Amino acid sequence: MAQLQRLVISASQKQASIVILKPEQQHYLYRVLRLKSGDRFIAMDGQGNSWLAELQPDHAALIEPIIFQSELPIAVTLMLALPKTGFDDVIRPLTELGVACVVPIISDRTLLNPSPNKLERWRRIAQEAAEQSERQCVPAILDPLSFSTALQTIDAKQRLICAARGASPHLLTCRLVAPSVCVAIGCEGGWTDAEIDRAIASQYQPVSLGRRILRAVTAPIAAMALLAGAQESREMT
Amino acid sequence: MAQLQRLVISASQKQASIVILKPEQQHYLYRVLRLKSGDRFIAMDGQGNSWLAELQPDHAALIEPIIFQSELPIAVTLMLALPKTGFDDVIRPLTELGVACVVPIISDRTLLNPSPNKLERWRRIAQEAAEQSERQCVPAILDPLSFSTALQTIDAKQRLICAARGASPHLLTCRLVAPSVCVAIGCEGGWTDAEIDRAIASQYQPVSLGRRILRAVTAPIAAMALLAGAQESREMT
């Protein structure tokens, strides 16, 4: 079962136990994956539900629900100040590592103002990576927000902000207890002092990712690996 | 001090308190970094020693040693089965995260046979990333080895192999106790069963990086983030 190909479908495509396939999905299944009528794959709605599905000439039949658990017990939101380049290459590993939501942030040091095309591309990457890494859910990639707006509107019980060059406690020393955690990570040059102060005023606790200086595209991946590892190592023992 | 530019020099360039600069280093300091005679930078020998240095017209003067600690307490060696593409983009974050040694492995499922040019490129990336991430040491990138040879010749007190889709304990549950740890990570498709058996016979303990399937270029970064985090979170509390 684990080796079957996965395809994300939208709720509107599902009618009882039938999935109406879009032309690009038919192309993907028949041409790219080279499946034939009668072959099986896994259809997932991106919200946590998956079904064993059988390909038919013009639709797919849902045979039975598949119960598995590949999501983290705590929903991780990452607020990421947009780096100059390389954000595409961040979304994919973050999805593999289990992020629930990514909030692109326009910070004081952000230079990029992403086009709608970029956002669409990041969402497509998240969907592909969710299929390939065998996740149950597709992470949400929100529209970009200013840091101030994000601090006020993004809700999370536990709030952390990564600060370089400080004496903050290591991220891995934080006991993850809440049902949701939000971690804010800066771009090239890090957060400004004013941004850190504003975050602390919004109950964000400064944490460290270690002694070395990580690039803006490495820090989120390292943070997500630590957040996932901290949760799964506790569960798997 | 932390904000000064860094430059790796070789032992043969250092003569008492003078560093003879190579033409490409002069170009880098004067043209790329736009330093002027009298400006200061940090010279590092890549083996753990650093000095505050002052640029002179045709050499650099070492003013005083700099004592800082950005290396991990345990030397981490990663044996990485070479992925089809993307290894360049793995070396840089691994260096930032503190790896001591990378062993490129030709495994049963490896398709790439890297040219000497590639190896030279990986070593240049490791040096650049060590300078930029403020490490004391430049990680060693060994010549590629077959997995069997590596299992026999690479010495490490604690030995781990990452296995996907199994019920192995999570990497983060391993107590890192030895002065050196070696972690073997597969490429696309993972290790073959025969390779896992051979590693176990060589005292490698199978571990998991979590429930989701990570790409061959994501798994080493996640593993290194966890290994560094496990060490530094213990030190920093």
Side-chain angles (χ1 to χ4, degrees):
Chain A
M1 193 90 90
Q3 308 292 343
L4 288 180
Q5 299 286 351
R6 279 147 207 270
L7 181 75
V8 174
I9 58 166
S10 62
S12 62
Q13 290 181 259
K14 185 175 166 296
Q15 309 197 341
S17 63
I18 294 289
V19 176
I20 312 297
L21 295 169
K22 296 181 198 169
E24 64 268 25
Q25 291 171 328
Q26 294 197 13
H27 175 86
Y28 178 70
L29 292 166
Y30 282 108
R31 301 297 167 121
V32 181
L33 300 183
R34 293 170 186 270
L35 299 186
K36 292 181 296 294
S37 187
D39 281 349
R40 293 184 168 190
F41 65 98
I42 295 174
M44 49 187 281
D45 69 0
Q47 311 294 315
N49 303 302
S50 299
W51 297 269
L52 182 62
E54 191 174 284
L55 194 54
Q56 302 292 339
D58 59 350
H59 68 273
L62 300 180
I63 297 173
E64 57 184 24
I66 297 177
I67 310 299
F68 70 107
Q69 171 56 23
S70 65
E71 294 296 318
L72 296 174
I74 294 176
V76 177
T77 295
L78 294 180
M79 282 190 198
L80 303 180
L82 283 166
K84 228 170 11 177
T85 57
F87 204 61
D88 293 19
D89 300 330
V90 172
I91 295 292
R92 196 179 291 276
L94 291 184
T95 303
E96 296 168 41
L97 289 165
V99 73
C101 178
V102 174
V103 190
I105 298 290
I106 311 293
S107 72
D108 289 349
R109 294 194 174 126
T110 296
L111 298 173
L112 180 75
N113 195 357
S115 64
N117 276 349
K118 271 279 180 203
L119 274 160
E120 203 186 297
R121 181 172 157 74
W122 295 337
R123 288 174 183 140
R124 205 167 53 234
I125 290 174
Q127 180 175 315
E128 274 176 28
E131 290 168 356
Q132 287 163 8
S133 59
E134 305 187 3
R135 286 194 56 178
Q136 295 164 268
C137 296
V138 177
I141 315 288
L142 303 194
D143 287 340
L145 293 177
S146 76
F147 192 42
S148 309
T149 307
L151 287 176
Q152 286 160 26
T153 57
I154 301 297
D155 193 35
K157 293 286 172 233
Q158 196 165 2
R159 303 171 184 205
L160 307 171
I161 183 165
C162 293
R165 299 189 191 285
S168 312
H170 195 282
L171 171 61
L172 215 48
T173 62
C174 295
R175 266 184 68 95
L176 299 173
V177 286
S180 54
V181 59
C182 178
V183 185
I185 301 176
C187 61
E188 294 88 351
W191 300 108
T192 59
D193 290 345
E195 286 173 328
I196 300 252
D197 289 346
R198 243 178 293 153
I200 292 172
S202 297
Q203 276 77 56
Y204 278 74
Q205 178 195 341
V207 291
S208 162
L209 293 174
R211 289 213 191 82
R212 292 154 306 282
I213 302 300
L214 304 179
R215 282 176 308 146
V217 292
T218 305
I221 304 172
M224 192 61 224
L226 292 170
L227 291 163
Q231 295 176 58
E232 294 195 314
S233 64
R234 215 156 45 184
E235 278 196 331
M236 291 167 79
T237 40
Chain B
M1 193 92 91
Q3 307 293 342
L4 288 179
Q5 299 286 352
R6 279 147 206 271
L7 181 75
V8 174
I9 58 166
S10 61
S12 62
Q13 291 182 258
K14 186 175 166 295
Q15 309 196 341
S17 64
I18 293 289
V19 176
I20 312 297
L21 295 169
K22 297 181 197 168
E24 64 269 26
Q25 290 172 329
Q26 294 197 13
H27 176 84
Y28 178 70
L29 292 167
Y30 281 107
R31 301 297 167 121
V32 180
L33 300 182
R34 292 170 185 272
L35 299 186
K36 291 181 296 291
S37 187
D39 281 350
R40 294 183 166 191
F41 65 98
I42 296 173
M44 48 188 279
D45 69 0
Q47 311 293 316
N49 303 304
S50 299
W51 298 269
L52 181 63
E54 191 174 283
L55 193 53
Q56 302 291 340
D58 58 350
H59 68 273
L62 299 181
I63 298 173
E64 58 185 23
I66 297 177
I67 310 299
F68 70 106
Q69 171 55 23
S70 64
E71 294 297 317
L72 296 174
I74 295 176
V76 177
T77 295
L78 294 180
M79 282 191 198
L80 303 180
L82 282 166
K84 228 169 12 176
T85 57
F87 204 60
D88 292 18
D89 300 329
V90 173
I91 295 293
R92 195 179 292 276
L94 291 184
T95 303
E96 298 168 40
L97 290 164
V99 75
C101 177
V102 174
V103 191
I105 298 290
I106 311 294
S107 72
D108 290 349
R109 294 195 173 125
T110 296
L111 298 173
L112 180 74
N113 194 357
S115 64
N117 275 349
K118 271 279 179 204
L119 274 160
E120 203 186 297
R121 181 173 158 73
W122 295 336
R123 288 173 183 142
R124 205 167 51 234
I125 290 174
Q127 180 175 314
E128 273 175 28
E131 291 168 354
Q132 287 162 10
S133 60
E134 305 186 3
R135 285 193 58 178
Q136 295 165 269
C137 297
V138 176
I141 315 289
L142 303 194
D143 286 341
L145 293 177
S146 77
F147 192 42
S148 309
T149 307
L151 287 177
Q152 286 161 26
T153 57
I154 301 296
D155 191 36
K157 293 286 171 234
Q158 196 165 2
R159 302 170 182 206
L160 308 170
I161 182 166
C162 293
R165 300 190 191 286
S168 312
H170 195 282
L171 172 61
L172 215 47
T173 63
C174 294
R175 266 185 67 96
L176 299 173
V177 285
S180 55
V181 58
C182 177
V183 185
I185 302 177
C187 61
E188 294 88 350
W191 300 109
T192 59
D193 290 345
E195 285 173 328
I196 299 253
D197 290 347
R198 242 178 294 153
I200 291 173
S202 298
Q203 276 77 55
Y204 279 73
Q205 177 194 342
V207 291
S208 161
L209 293 174
R211 289 212 191 82
R212 293 154 307 281
I213 301 301
L214 305 180
R215 283 176 307 147
V217 291
T218 304
I221 305 172
M224 192 60 224
L226 293 169
L227 291 163
Q231 295 176 59
E232 294 196 314
S233 64
R234 216 160 42 186
E235 278 198 331
M236 290 167 79
T237 40

